[in-house]
Amino acid sequence: MAVQVSVCGPRDCTEDDRRHARELGRLLAERGAVVICGGYTGVMAEVAAGARAAGGTVVGILSRADREGANPDLTIAIPTGVGEARNNIIVNSGDAVIVVGGSWGTLSELALAMRRGRAPVVQLGGWRLHDQDGNPVPGIRHATTPEEAIRRTGLWS
Amino acid sequence: MAVQVSVCGPRDCTEDDRRHARELGRLLAERGAVVICGGYTGVMAEVAAGARAAGGTVVGILSRADREGANPDLTIAIPTGVGEARNNIIVNSGDAVIVVGGSWGTLSELALAMRRGRAPVVQLGGWRLHDQDGNPVPGIRHATTPEEAIRRTGLWS
Amino acid sequence: MAVQVSVCGPRDCTEDDRRHARELGRLLAERGAVVICGGYTGVMAEVAAGARAAGGTVVGILSRADREGANPDLTIAIPTGVGEARNNIIVNSGDAVIVVGGSWGTLSELALAMRRGRAPVVQLGGWRLHDQDGNPVPGIRHATTPEEAIRRTGLWS
Amino acid sequence: MAVQVSVCGPRDCTEDDRRHARELGRLLAERGAVVICGGYTGVMAEVAAGARAAGGTVVGILSRADREGANPDLTIAIPTGVGEARNNIIVNSGDAVIVVGGSWGTLSELALAMRRGRAPVVQLGGWRLHDQDGNPVPGIRHATTPEEAIRRTGLWS
């Protein structure tokens, strides 16, 4: 079975997020990794487009029970019908999880991935967490470029 | 996107079910369909093995949150972590649903596929349903061979 | 904790189903059981109305993520947001499961309850299952009246 | 239907979290609110104990498909069997969501509640979120005591 990498990020994202996601898709496809994503617009669409353009395989774990609104670059569509609970499935499906940009939905995926604790979690951009004393909450691997994000997964070191 | 066909069936199955499932996997792979299955043993393992031997792609929608117990012939593993609720996801993911053999879990998938009503449902072997007057409940397409099951999906007619 | 009994049945049901469900609600409330149901119309609404009129507690396990369409007789609403996967939750929540009438959704609940195998499953009306030799599939407890259905749960014997 | 308030928090929690949760349970029960929680130990057990001691109703939305490990103060147990996806159900079930203390699972519930955006979200203790410029991410209502948390839900103002 090929390596699977989940890429999470918001529908409404910045231009930087968009560029990062597309580049991540390309880099993952070049390494033979299957990309797992949420299957809709924004970061999800960009990572799918980047991977597909590089000949990769992209699985969209959709919240709806049908394919309405799914982006056109998915290789495989999984219309779960379980709504936002599909975030758990995206996170569980990755040998690593890369989170691009910030939104409440994206933060839930970051938190679920950290709670799961079985795969490296890399954050590219997005929000920062501090405890009540103002110290950063440890555990997340931070990156500033797609290349660094890939490297920090540790899957190809 | 390729055609996706969900194949459901019990862990504990008959020799006939086993043979049918493996042959279904082969026939679907030869037609370029992605096979969606539950990813464990019995009918799930046979359809995966049949598809893989013919060079096909197999997605295992697992009940567990990890890959423990997944069969070795999956191309892609989706460890949903939602338990038996993953049956809904298998059913939702098929452009057609083929049900092989009989068990309570398999019957739940047959029923969910019929309730969904968006894709043809073909039954190969397994249990029969009657209403209170003893008449067969209509809607399911019955088949006696894997070839007939494929044909009755209507996807390649 | 009080005994919890799950009552399943179709939105579109017969007059008999309706009467049976309302009577079941009353009988369960009189015995101090919490009624678990799907929370919408048809059998779900009748069992809730029957239980509430007798002073009982009714929990509606809704498929939607909000309360839209929920019947007015619920004591507690659980908007799961997981769609049809909520059928698993209804079934898991009962110390017994009573199934009234027939539909594909209802059959999925019957099948999931039998697959779970941890609580008695009683069927009042609805469809019948036979194996390939025409013999009834064993395991389901059949009843013809609400009183018999209650008795056959074995919870108050 | 009574007001429903979801209270989220970690299994492994501080003494402060514990005290806060128990007091929240009492205050909510006194106001006639149904308490929705995760049903296990830590904050979940304390809020249940507090509510029950004050004569309230507590619903435990369990991750497992059975009641193993459920705390003894639940009035109603809902063994969802959907694993961590049950966090979505807890969050969807509240007319307000109060989050006590910090953990990755708790953060996922906070994020899901904010993403849902249909009910006030109050945080008592726990982690803090900042954007990339170091500014607090807006939207969460902060409280330092259980009384303030109740007040900031706006349900009894």
Side-chain angles (χ1 to χ4, degrees):
Chain A
M1 206 175 342
V3 163
Q4 300 180 180
V5 175
S6 301
V7 179
C8 306
R11 293 169 185 255
D12 300 315
C13 62
T14 66
E15 269 315 301
D16 270 8
D17 294 341
R18 222 175 266 284
R19 210 164 23 81
H20 285 162
R22 186 173 284 254
E23 178 69 359
L24 271 174
R26 185 177 71 79
L27 294 169
L28 289 168
E30 285 175 2
R31 280 156 183 76
V34 171
V35 172
I36 311 285
C37 72
Y40 296 112
T41 58
V43 162
M44 301 174 264
E46 295 296 330
V47 73
R52 191 196 186 190
T57 297
V58 186
V59 181
I61 309 286
L62 307 170
S63 50
R64 292 179 56 100
D66 56 35
R67 294 183 190 175
E68 195 180 313
N71 77 59
D73 292 311
L74 303 179
T75 317
I76 292 167
I78 306 292
T80 66
V82 299
E84 289 306 300
R86 72 84 140 80
N87 292 2
N88 295 271
I89 302 175
I90 294 174
V91 158
N92 289 342
S93 298
D95 295 307
V97 177
I98 303 178
V99 179
V100 180
S103 73
W104 292 113
T106 304
L107 179 67
S108 79
E109 290 168 311
L110 177 72
L112 290 166
M114 289 302 297
R115 187 198 183 289
R116 183 169 175 252
R118 299 195 198 193
V121 180
V122 182
Q123 196 182 2
L124 181 55
W127 298 345
R128 290 290 179 274
L129 280 162
H130 297 89
D131 65 19
Q132 291 195 281
D133 300 322
N135 299 315
V137 176
I140 299 168
R141 305 176 186 193
H142 294 282
T144 55
T145 64
E147 289 76 11
E148 189 188 2
I150 297 281
R151 197 167 58 242
R152 300 217 67 190
T153 64
L155 295 174
W156 291 278
S157 60
Chain B
M1 204 174 346
V3 164
Q4 299 180 182
V5 175
S6 300
V7 179
C8 307
R11 293 168 185 255
D12 299 316
C13 63
T14 66
E15 269 313 303
D16 270 7
D17 295 340
R18 223 174 266 284
R19 212 165 20 81
H20 285 162
R22 187 173 284 253
E23 179 69 359
L24 272 174
R26 186 178 70 79
L27 294 169
L28 290 168
E30 284 175 3
R31 279 156 183 76
V34 171
V35 172
I36 312 285
C37 72
Y40 295 111
T41 58
V43 162
M44 302 173 264
E46 295 296 331
V47 74
R52 191 195 186 190
T57 297
V58 186
V59 181
I61 310 286
L62 306 169
S63 50
R64 292 179 55 101
D66 57 35
R67 294 182 191 176
E68 195 180 313
N71 77 60
D73 292 311
L74 303 179
T75 318
I76 292 167
I78 307 292
T80 67
V82 298
E84 288 306 300
R86 72 84 142 80
N87 291 1
N88 296 272
I89 302 175
I90 295 174
V91 157
N92 289 342
S93 297
D95 295 307
V97 177
I98 302 178
V99 179
V100 180
S103 73
W104 292 114
T106 303
L107 179 66
S108 79
E109 290 169 311
L110 178 71
L112 290 166
M114 289 302 298
R115 187 199 183 290
R116 182 169 177 252
R118 299 195 199 192
V121 180
V122 182
Q123 197 182 3
L124 181 55
W127 298 346
R128 290 291 180 274
L129 280 162
H130 297 90
D131 65 19
Q132 291 194 281
D133 301 322
N135 300 315
V137 176
I140 300 168
R141 306 175 185 192
H142 293 283
T144 54
T145 65
E147 290 76 10
E148 189 188 3
I150 298 281
R151 198 169 56 243
R152 299 218 66 190
T153 64
L155 294 174
W156 291 279
S157 61
Chain C
M1 206 176 343
V3 163
Q4 299 181 182
V5 176
S6 300
V7 179
C8 306
R11 292 168 185 256
D12 300 316
C13 62
T14 66
E15 270 313 302
D16 270 8
D17 294 341
R18 222 174 266 286
R19 209 163 23 80
H20 285 163
R22 186 173 285 254
E23 179 69 0
L24 271 174
R26 185 178 70 80
L27 294 170
L28 289 167
E30 285 175 3
R31 278 156 183 77
V34 170
V35 172
I36 312 285
C37 71
Y40 296 112
T41 58
V43 161
M44 301 173 264
E46 294 297 330
V47 72
R52 192 197 185 189
T57 297
V58 186
V59 181
I61 309 286
L62 307 170
S63 50
R64 292 179 56 100
D66 57 34
R67 294 183 191 175
E68 195 179 312
N71 77 60
D73 291 311
L74 302 180
T75 318
I76 292 167
I78 307 293
T80 66
V82 297
E84 289 306 300
R86 70 84 141 82
N87 292 2
N88 295 272
I89 302 175
I90 295 174
V91 157
N92 289 343
S93 298
D95 295 307
V97 177
I98 303 178
V99 178
V100 180
S103 72
W104 293 113
T106 303
L107 179 66
S108 79
E109 290 169 312
L110 178 71
L112 290 166
M114 288 303 297
R115 187 199 183 289
R116 183 171 176 251
R118 299 196 198 192
V121 180
V122 182
Q123 197 183 1
L124 182 55
W127 298 345
R128 290 290 179 275
L129 280 162
H130 298 89
D131 65 18
Q132 291 195 281
D133 301 322
N135 300 314
V137 176
I140 300 168
R141 306 177 185 192
H142 293 283
T144 54
T145 65
E147 290 76 10
E148 190 188 1
I150 297 281
R151 197 168 56 243
R152 300 217 66 190
T153 64
L155 294 174
W156 291 279
S157 59
Chain D
M1 207 175 344
V3 163
Q4 299 181 182
V5 175
S6 301
V7 179
C8 308
R11 291 167 186 256
D12 299 315
C13 63
T14 66
E15 270 313 303
D16 270 7
D17 294 340
R18 223 175 266 285
R19 211 165 21 82
H20 285 162
R22 186 174 286 254
E23 179 69 0
L24 271 175
R26 185 177 71 79
L27 294 169
L28 289 168
E30 285 175 2
R31 280 156 182 76
V34 171
V35 172
I36 312 285
C37 72
Y40 296 111
T41 58
V43 162
M44 302 173 264
E46 294 296 331
V47 73
R52 191 196 186 188
T57 298
V58 186
V59 181
I61 309 286
L62 307 169
S63 50
R64 291 179 55 101
D66 58 34
R67 294 182 191 176
E68 195 180 312
N71 77 60
D73 291 312
L74 303 179
T75 318
I76 292 167
I78 307 293
T80 67
V82 298
E84 288 307 300
R86 72 82 142 83
N87 291 2
N88 295 272
I89 302 176
I90 295 174
V91 157
N92 289 342
S93 297
D95 296 307
V97 177
I98 302 177
V99 179
V100 180
S103 72
W104 292 113
T106 304
L107 179 67
S108 78
E109 290 169 310
L110 178 72
L112 290 166
M114 290 302 298
R115 188 199 182 289
R116 181 169 177 253
R118 298 196 199 191
V121 180
V122 182
Q123 196 182 3
L124 182 54
W127 298 345
R128 290 292 179 273
L129 280 161
H130 298 89
D131 65 19
Q132 291 195 281
D133 300 322
N135 300 314
V137 176
I140 300 169
R141 306 176 185 193
H142 293 282
T144 54
T145 66
E147 290 77 9
E148 190 189 1
I150 298 280
R151 197 168 56 243
R152 299 217 67 190
T153 64
L155 294 175
W156 290 278
S157 61

